[in-house]
Amino acid sequence: RARSLSPQGRALMDQLLAHDRSRVLPAVAAEARAHGNEMAGVSPAGRLGSVQVPVLLLHGAADNVIPPSETLWLASELPPAARRAVLISPAISHVEIKGPGFMDRLRLVNWMQVLLHTADSSPHGRSVFS
């Protein structure tokens, strides 16, 4: 795919891969302004208060695609009874697992324990994990 890019496209991709977003941020901001109503229509903002199922949130602290603040925001919008576990872990980025330290591994294992316990406590979860 990289070979099929124009020289300008390749230069932009090189910048993005080097985590330099300076050229794309203005364009993304303009698109967000232009499509604000459409984006609001698919946003979960203000719509999570009635969630009754257990929710566990896991996010990579080094995520360079979706900021971890999005997970904190989701957690704040959920009813406390639905929010079971929230972990922003340096052990993961967006999709890669990093070389975590002992405490980071322990927090991740604890999050998994809450996930499995929650699934085991649910009539629907039992069938999934059986």
Side-chain angles (χ1 to χ4, degrees):
R1 297 259 180 220
R3 284 188 286 265
S4 67
L5 293 173
S6 67
Q8 297 88 352
R10 198 168 309 138
L12 179 59
M13 188 54 96
D14 288 343
Q15 277 187 294
L16 291 173
L17 291 173
H19 305 289
D20 177 2
R21 298 176 187 90
S22 60
R23 282 182 54 195
V24 296
L25 287 179
V28 170
E31 286 296 313
R33 284 189 300 276
H35 298 282
N37 289 337
E38 295 167 69
M39 294 170 71
V42 296
S43 171
R47 297 182 179 134
L48 301 177
S50 62
V51 171
Q52 297 177 8
V53 296
V55 177
L56 292 90
L57 299 169
L58 175 64
H59 203 108
D63 191 331
N64 60 357
V65 178
I66 301 167
S69 58
E70 291 294 315
T71 291
L72 296 174
W73 172 82
L74 279 171
S76 74
E77 290 267 320
L78 288 167
R83 190 176 52 240
R84 295 295 161 87
V86 179
L87 177 61
I88 296 177
S89 175
I92 35 183
S93 62
H94 184 67
V95 292
E96 305 94 25
I97 294 183
K98 302 282 184 180
F102 176 76
M103 287 305 294
D104 294 325
R105 281 187 243 165
L106 189 59
R107 288 182 191 101
L108 195 51
V109 167
N110 181 64
W111 186 92
M112 289 180 203
Q113 181 269 330
V114 173
L115 169 70
L116 294 173
H117 180 267
T118 301
D120 193 44
S121 301
S122 164
H124 302 292
R126 287 179 193 269
S127 62
V128 172
F129 289 101
S130 298

